[in-house]
Structures are given as structure tokens and as C-alpha cells.
Amino acid sequence: MSKTKVVQWDPADIKEELLKKYPPKVARKRAKQIMINEATESEAPPEIVANVRTIPGIITMRGCTYAGCKGVIMGPTRDIVNITHGPIGCGFYSWLTRRNQTSAGPDGENYMPYCFSTDMQDQDIIFGGEKKLEAAIQEAYDLFHPKGICIFSTCPVGLIGDDVHAVARKMKAKLGDCNVFAFSCEGYKGVSQSAGHHIANNQVFTHLVGENKEPRKEEYKINLLGEYNIGGDGFEIDRVLKKCGITNIATFSGNSTYDQFASAQHADLSCVMCHRSINYVADMLETKYGIPWIKVNFIGAEATAKSLRKIGEYFGDKKLIAKIEEVIAEEMPEVEAIAKDVRSRTEGKTAMLFVGGSRAHHYQELFNEMGMKTLSAGYEFGHRDDYEGRRVIPDIKVDADSRNIEEIEVEADPELYRPRKTEAEIKALEDAGYDFKHYDGLNPDMDKGTIIIDDLNQYEAEKLVELLKPDLFCAGIKEKFSIQKLGVPMKQLHSYDSGGPYAGFKGAVNFYKEIDRLVGSKVWSYMKAPWQENPELTATFVWE
Ligand code: CFM
């Protein structure tokens, strides 16, 4: 790869380059998932195709439905025993690899260091695995006496037809003091982990939210939805919230407990960080209990300040608003000093971000604060609303894959439904520019002419890097080494490599320092694989 930078490039040429090698049918499909941001001045931005099956043969970055359910939503809860019903690999590879941290708290109840699995064998596939599952639940109960046990289905469980829900019901009745429930989150159930989020949202809402009836007396009670405490992000956010005097009743689900979920209905506002993974719970909390929700983002110091102010404005209490301003004034000077220092080296550097269903958007805030420009970005499994904003939801085509995921009916609770604001109060806030239930998505925040790509794959990732030579590429472990081999620094934005937290004020400082070092390092551009230095055999493919 040449070390000279392409300064001028035409996004249409780049798109064409990416599609060139594909067979025509594949190219046509991929063309709808590669979008030049707001290509035309006059027309509405083109629709992006998202949340559809990856074309067979393409090496996707996506994960499976089980990963979204067990790994993402339920996994970070420390005092629920999460049993993977399936072959051992599914449980093992989803065991702490996401770096969702936890603090055991005064009760010390923490099952996260354990990997619970039924370890299905050939004979269980042939004769059925229900008995083995029953025995596993009993064993976990006898050993730990947890408040809850969750069962996660892997692909073979769905294929052989084990009734995990019947087993869960039976064991819940038998054990008496342990909430046992199951998830039909077989890996193949949806087109990505996104389906697993939805399945987890439904089940945790049905079986757990609202169970703790004990009223809560604290002030300014919120739920923090879609924060998973990766690399300690949630610890930093909780520190800031506490300093402001805001009570976080329940985080879904970073560093969370059974009781947090069970008490979520006591909050007066739901703050949604990751819209993709948890918007279903936000909506259901509103429908059933009358708790409004707003979109927040604690990635980026400015974004954190803005989100705190948004919470303050909702409660509308002078004492809280003053405290929030005091906290921001106290935290910002350090952040600004470091930002100013790194900016002298990072200004004008370029990045690409291809992560999950929200970080490819949120992290652009941090890069902006460093004066860095995002050339290209996209989600692995975002839906159209995560790109184009929630206003497109009514136009989203429901296909067979989405129908596969249950839509549950939720109604206002006859006793507990209590609108937190009157219609007039809501209207007054909205008239003043306040947005409820609103998310604008990634597209409006990206520059014109940048390239937005859904479900980027291995081939396109390498091609993009080759053509645009970014100063930094952000994705996950599957992409890490191939990008570094192209001579470009790579930062994992799922697990944060071994770093973090990056949320809140202290997190922003961590991020600035780390990215400064990464984009300033020349080491990757000196790298040459042995076969590049001394080719032993050269050949061409038949199509070349
Ligand atoms: Fe939400 Fe996440 Fe993300 Fe996600 Fe994920 Fe994750 Fe992610 Mo990896 S819940 S959509 S399914 S912010 S595990 S903490 S980093 S892909 S961008």
C-alpha cells in the first residue's frame, strides 16, 4: 500500500470500486446498503437498506441472535444465573469476552465469573435436552440460591424442539423462590444480534420488570437504558449522575441486578443511550407505567453535558438544574485542557467507524471534539431508524425475518399507570424544543459526501482502507488484525481493547489520550508481511 494520501476522492467512485468485484446480483443488493450521505441537495436523502439478511458467502461482521440476547442484554446482570442451553462453545465464547464490568456490591452476589452451560452432547441432540436442562437449573439453584435463573436457547435447541419455556415454568413452580424464565433466542432466529435484543427486551419486561412494589423515595429518579458498562463506562456515568443528585433506579443492563429490573417502574424518566438494543423496553415502560423516554448520549464530554441538561430540563427543578451546571463547570476544565493539547496533533486526522448499532454514531462526538473527521461509518445491524431517524419507522417494510420476532401486547397497568407529566406539561416542553421518544439517527450528523455502509464486510473493509487510507479504523476483534496488516492503526470500539471507560467526562479524557497515541504512531505503516518483502511465489487469480 502506498503511503501517499488520497486527499481528493469522489464518493461515487469509491462506491463503484467497492461493488466492482461482486457478481451483478450481489452488487445490486450491496448497492442499496452503501449510501453517499445526502448526495443531492434538493431531494430527501436516499433510503438505506438495513436489517436484512447478509448475502451468503460474504464474511459479515455481525453476530447472532443468541449473542444479542444472552451476551448483550442479560449477560451484564450480575445476580441472575444465565444458563446457556446448548453445546459448550456458545456459552464459552460469550463468557466475559464483551468486557462488561461489574461491581459485586455489598451483597457480593455475582455470578459473572461463572460460565453456565448444559454442555449438550450428541445424545442430547438425538433424545432431547429438556431433562439435562432441568438438572442444570436444579444444580445452579442448589449451589447458589439465586433470585433468578435465565435460560438461553442456542441453534440446536430450536432445531430439535426442546420446550425451554415449559421447563422454565415447571422449575419456577418447583423451586418457589426463584424466578426462572427462558428465551427463544436461537442464533439463527433473526438476521443478526438485533433480534436477540428484541427477544430479551420482551422477556425481561414480561417476567421481571415491576416485581418490586416497594415505593422509592429518592429524588429525580431515572432509568438508564442501553448502557452496558463496557470497560467501566457505566461506573463513570453513575459517578456523574450521583454527583448531580440524580437517582439511577435501573440500568439496562450494565452492572445491573435483578432488583434493578424489578424496580424500573418506579422511575420518572427513561434515558436511552443505545437506541437499537433497548428502545422496546423504553416504549413498554411508557405504555404500561406512563414513564416518558428521551434519547441521551454519554459518549463525548459535550454530549454528556447536553444529556445531563436534558434530564435537568425534564424535571424542571431549579435545585437540580443548578447542581447539574455546577458539576459540568467542575468537570469540564480538565477535559478541555486535554482536548486542546491533543487537538494540536489530532486535528484533521480521519477515522472510519463500523460498530454494532449505536457506537458508529455516538463515537463521532468524541472524534469531533478532537478535530477528527469521520470519512465513512455504518452499523453492523442497525435498522433504518438508527440511520435515518425514528420518523421512518412507519415506512419500514416488515419482512419474514422481522415477523419471526414476537411483538408483545402491552397495556396501561390498571393500578400502576401514572403519567409522569400532564399533557400540558409535555406540550410546554415540546414547544420549547424538547424531544420525547425521538432519535435522529446517524445520517444527519455525518458530513455530506461521506460514505455510510450497512453490514460492512471483510472485503469492503479492506478495500475502503486501501482507497481512503484513514488515520484510524474502529471496529471489532474480527477486523482488528487484517486492518493492522494494511498499515493502519485499529481501535476496537466494542471491547475497547483493554481500555476504557470512554463515557462521561473522565472517559472522554481517556479516549483523547489513547487516540492521540494511536494516530500519532507510525509503527503500523512500517509493517510488512514476510511475503510482501520476499515473495516466494507469485500468481494471479483466474479473473485477474
Ligand atoms: Fe448497543 Fe452496545 Fe452497540 Fe449493541 Fe453490541 Fe456492544 Fe456494539 Mo458490540 S448494545 S448496539 S449489540 S451500544 S456488544 S455495548 S459494542 S455491537 S455498537
Side-chain angles (χ1 to χ4, degrees):
M1 198 171 94
S2 128
K3 278 179 202 142
T4 47
K5 271 192 175 285
V6 180
V7 185
Q8 292 298 332
W9 45 273
D10 180 351
D13 293 345
I14 303 287
K15 181 169 176 175
E16 208 188 302
E17 269 303 306
L18 292 179
L19 297 172
K20 218 160 78 184
K21 271 250 168 80
Y22 289 131
K25 207 172 147 193
V26 175
R28 269 202 305 281
K29 279 190 173 165
R30 283 303 293 154
K32 295 180 191 150
Q33 289 174 280
I34 303 176
M35 171 181 165
I36 298 161
N37 200 27
E38 292 189 289
T40 49
E41 290 280 334
S42 50
E43 294 161 40
E47 253 179 58
I48 192 160
V49 168
N51 190 34
V52 294
R53 287 184 200 193
T54 302
I55 301 159
I58 276 181
I59 304 178
T60 175
M61 292 176 174
R62 285 171 166 174
C64 69
T65 299
Y66 159 81
C69 183
K70 189 266 186 183
V72 174
I73 309 292
M74 299 310 289
T77 308
R78 66 174 162 87
D79 58 359
I80 293 178
V81 166
N82 289 320
I83 303 179
T84 298
H85 186 33
I88 195 64
C90 306
F92 184 80
Y93 289 107
S94 60
W95 178 32
L96 295 180
T97 43
R98 187 165 167 247
R99 292 192 74 242
N100 46 278
Q101 299 188 356
T102 203
S103 157
D107 60 41
E109 210 178 336
N110 177 18
Y111 305 118
M112 238 170 305
Y114 298 91
C115 174
F116 300 95
S117 168
T118 51
D119 184 21
M120 284 179 107
Q121 303 294 323
D122 299 8
Q123 76 215 43
D124 306 313
I125 302 290
I126 297 161
F127 299 109
E130 291 177 12
K131 289 216 166 59
K132 200 169 189 184
L133 177 60
E134 243 181 78
I137 296 168
Q138 187 67 53
E139 192 184 339
Y141 179 80
D142 292 342
L143 280 170
F144 299 108
H145 292 274
K147 299 175 193 77
I149 296 179
C150 288
I151 316 300
F152 301 90
S153 305
T154 57
C155 296
V157 169
L159 295 173
I160 64 172
D162 275 358
D163 189 345
V164 291
H165 303 286
V167 174
R169 273 194 303 274
K170 179 177 165 194
M171 292 309 286
K172 183 179 176 176
K174 183 180 171 199
L175 301 175
D177 62 351
C178 178
N179 189 359
V180 187
F181 56 102
F183 300 81
S184 289
C185 58
E186 292 85 353
Y188 59 75
K189 195 78 183 252
V191 300
S192 71
Q193 52 268 65
S194 169
H197 301 150
H198 198 165
I199 293 163
N201 277 227
N202 286 350
Q203 293 298 83
V204 81
F205 194 82
T206 309
H207 293 279
L208 186 37
V209 169
E211 221 188 44
N212 189 341
K213 306 276 189 285
E214 195 69 35
R216 298 286 294 254
K217 299 267 183 303
E218 299 97 319
E219 279 182 306
Y220 319 123
K221 295 185 283 291
I222 66 158
N223 292 320
L224 181 59
L225 306 186
E227 203 320 296
Y228 301 94
N229 204 24
I230 311 300
D233 276 354
F235 293 147
E236 164 65 4
I237 298 171
D238 278 343
R239 177 189 75 83
V240 174
L241 290 174
K242 203 167 160 202
K243 205 169 159 185
C244 294
I246 298 163
T247 309
N248 181 7
I249 299 277
T251 301
F252 285 64
S253 59
N255 190 34
S256 62
T257 58
Y258 182 95
D259 190 57
Q260 286 187 26
F261 292 144
S263 310
Q265 82 282 9
H266 297 304
D268 293 319
L269 175 69
S270 293
C271 300
V272 176
M273 265 281 276
C274 169
H275 170 266
R276 182 65 271 131
S277 61
I278 208 87
N279 72 88
Y280 320 96
V281 162
D283 276 337
M284 291 188 283
L285 281 170
E286 172 151 44
T287 310
K288 187 162 178 185
Y289 302 108
I291 308 170
W293 72 262
I294 55 168
K295 176 77 178 72
V296 295
N297 177 22
F298 289 102
I299 302 294
E302 289 295 338
T304 300
K306 198 171 142 195
S307 298
L308 291 172
R309 288 186 174 122
K310 212 167 158 184
I311 296 171
E313 201 184 338
Y314 170 81
F315 287 102
D317 184 303
K318 283 207 182 69
K319 187 180 87 186
L320 175 66
I321 292 170
K323 187 70 201 170
I324 287 171
E325 289 309 324
E326 195 187 309
V327 170
I328 295 171
E330 212 177 292
E331 299 276 336
M332 277 310 256
E334 191 203 347
V335 178
E336 278 162 358
I338 310 257
K340 190 166 166 243
D341 171 46
V342 300
R343 230 183 142 115
S344 62
R345 294 175 295 274
T346 54
E347 182 93 56
K349 299 265 187 198
T350 56
M352 290 183 182
L353 296 84
F354 292 93
V355 207
S358 83
R359 292 185 174 182
H361 181 199
H362 286 166
Y363 273 79
Q364 295 191 26
E365 296 262 359
L366 277 169
F367 287 119
N368 288 341
E369 289 171 8
M370 304 174 75
M372 286 177 62
K373 188 175 151 53
T374 305
L375 299 178
S376 184
Y379 300 124
E380 289 167 51
F381 51 77
H383 298 198
R384 272 187 63 202
D385 41 317
D386 302 299
Y387 290 101
E388 301 170 60
R390 280 182 66 93
R391 84 190 77 79
V392 303
I393 290 179
D395 310 326
I396 294 180
K397 214 170 68 223
V398 180
D399 60 12
D401 291 313
S402 336
R403 270 194 212 99
N404 215 4
I405 316 305
E406 196 188 5
E407 287 286 345
I408 57 172
E409 283 296 323
V410 177
E411 286 170 8
D413 188 287
E415 284 155 41
L416 299 174
Y417 181 82
R418 178 171 61 83
R420 300 318 203 252
K421 298 253 176 213
T422 63
E423 271 177 37
E425 283 168 333
I426 296 266
K427 189 169 179 306
L429 276 166
E430 282 177 341
D431 287 346
Y434 202 90
D435 286 325
F436 288 100
K437 288 174 80 127
H438 181 80
Y439 179 41
D440 260 338
L442 168 149
N443 300 8
D445 281 341
M446 287 189 68
D447 287 348
K448 279 197 172 55
T450 51
I451 305 170
I452 297 171
I453 308 179
D454 184 63
D455 189 17
L456 186 82
N457 56 54
Q458 178 76 42
Y459 169 73
E460 291 165 8
E462 293 196 8
K463 202 81 202 154
L464 261 186
V465 168
E466 232 174 86
L467 294 168
L468 297 179
K469 300 178 183 65
D471 295 301
L472 184 69
F473 192 92
C474 303
I477 188 65
K478 300 193 288 295
E479 296 75 44
K480 185 160 183 89
F481 305 105
S482 67
I483 298 296
Q484 287 178 343
K485 284 174 192 167
L486 292 170
V488 169
M490 197 280 178
K491 176 70 191 167
Q492 289 192 65
L493 281 190
H494 298 260
S495 70
Y496 299 165
D497 294 298
S498 51
Y502 299 137
F505 300 109
K506 297 224 182 313
V509 168
N510 283 341
F511 196 76
Y512 300 156
K513 290 182 178 169
E514 214 173 308
I515 299 305
D516 177 27
R517 286 194 295 266
L518 266 173
V519 298
S521 156
K522 295 271 177 295
V523 63
W524 300 109
S525 60
Y526 297 141
M527 270 221 344
K528 276 240 181 314
W531 60 86
Q532 288 171 304
E533 301 252 298
N534 304 300
E536 286 170 13
L537 181 69
T538 51
T540 51
F541 289 106
V542 283
W543 62 76
E544 283 178 327

